[in-house]
Amino acid sequence: MSFTLTAEPGDSIQATPLYLESEYSFNVTPTAVQSGFGRLGFTSIALGTLQLEVDIATRRILHLWGLCPRQRWKPAELGYPGAETAVVTVISPDLVPGVSIDAGGLDDWPVEFDERSGWFRAIRAGSGTQENLFLIGTDTAIALSGNNLKSVWIKPKFVD
């Protein structure tokens, strides 16, 4: 399914990204509901088994969550290019609570991890370098080229 995004200046969400070693998955604390979102429900943009959580009422992308075993992560030297704080929202399509927007499967979103810096990135296959990087939450950024999603960056806290 095709979708378009936009970024506007705004405050980032204060939620700590986590990698839960025992579950091989990403999550955040506090949750989106604890942060006051979800009045009309949630949907997500599915990047294989990873999900970008989207608040229906505001159309705002909140955080990354989902299954992503470390065995899949490719070593990389990512550093962190810096990002402008922004609110990234879904322009289209119409959002339906609980119905994900498909952005492609596992092969479409290879994942990389920089052991030295602690940054993780899911990048659209063949996308090259990102155009604009926007900080949407604590240690969570989204790269766009125009209105298209190119990559997601997080620096998670690792939890056993």
Side-chain angles (χ1 to χ4, degrees):
M1 176 183 292
S2 178
F3 63 97
T4 54
L5 306 175
T6 189
E8 297 179 0
D11 294 332
S12 63
I13 296 169
Q14 300 305 305
T16 303
L18 306 172
Y19 185 77
L20 308 172
E21 298 274 7
S22 63
E23 297 179 14
Y24 307 105
S25 65
F26 291 102
N27 211 331
V28 295
T29 186
T31 66
V33 171
Q34 292 167 329
S35 297
F37 293 98
R39 184 175 51 84
L40 298 179
F42 299 98
T43 188
S44 63
I45 298 171
L47 319 172
T49 57
L50 292 173
Q51 310 284 323
L52 284 170
E53 187 84 344
V54 178
D55 177 62
I56 297 287
T58 63
R59 305 180 74 84
R60 182 177 185 169
I61 296 176
L62 305 174
H63 62 84
L64 181 75
W65 64 275
L67 181 68
C68 192
R70 285 187 76 151
Q71 296 85 342
R72 223 183 115 219
W73 303 7
K74 294 179 182 160
E77 291 184 23
L78 300 175
Y80 179 64
E84 169 186 342
T85 301
V87 173
V88 176
T89 56
V90 179
I91 300 171
S92 64
D94 289 337
L95 302 178
V96 179
V99 179
S100 294
I101 299 166
D102 182 16
L106 291 175
D107 292 337
D108 298 314
W109 292 94
V111 294
E112 304 170 317
F113 181 67
D114 184 338
E115 191 76 41
R116 199 164 22 101
S117 71
W119 282 96
F120 168 95
R121 178 173 67 175
I123 185 167
R124 182 180 292 279
S127 67
T129 59
Q130 73 274 355
E131 296 294 321
N132 296 298
L133 194 60
F134 300 100
L135 188 69
I136 64 164
T138 306
D139 293 331
T140 304
I142 292 179
L144 301 178
S145 177
N147 296 106
N148 299 309
L149 178 65
K150 292 298 178 181
S151 65
V152 180
W153 294 67
I154 63 170
K155 186 176 183 179
K157 176 182 175 186
F158 290 85
V159 180
D160 288 336

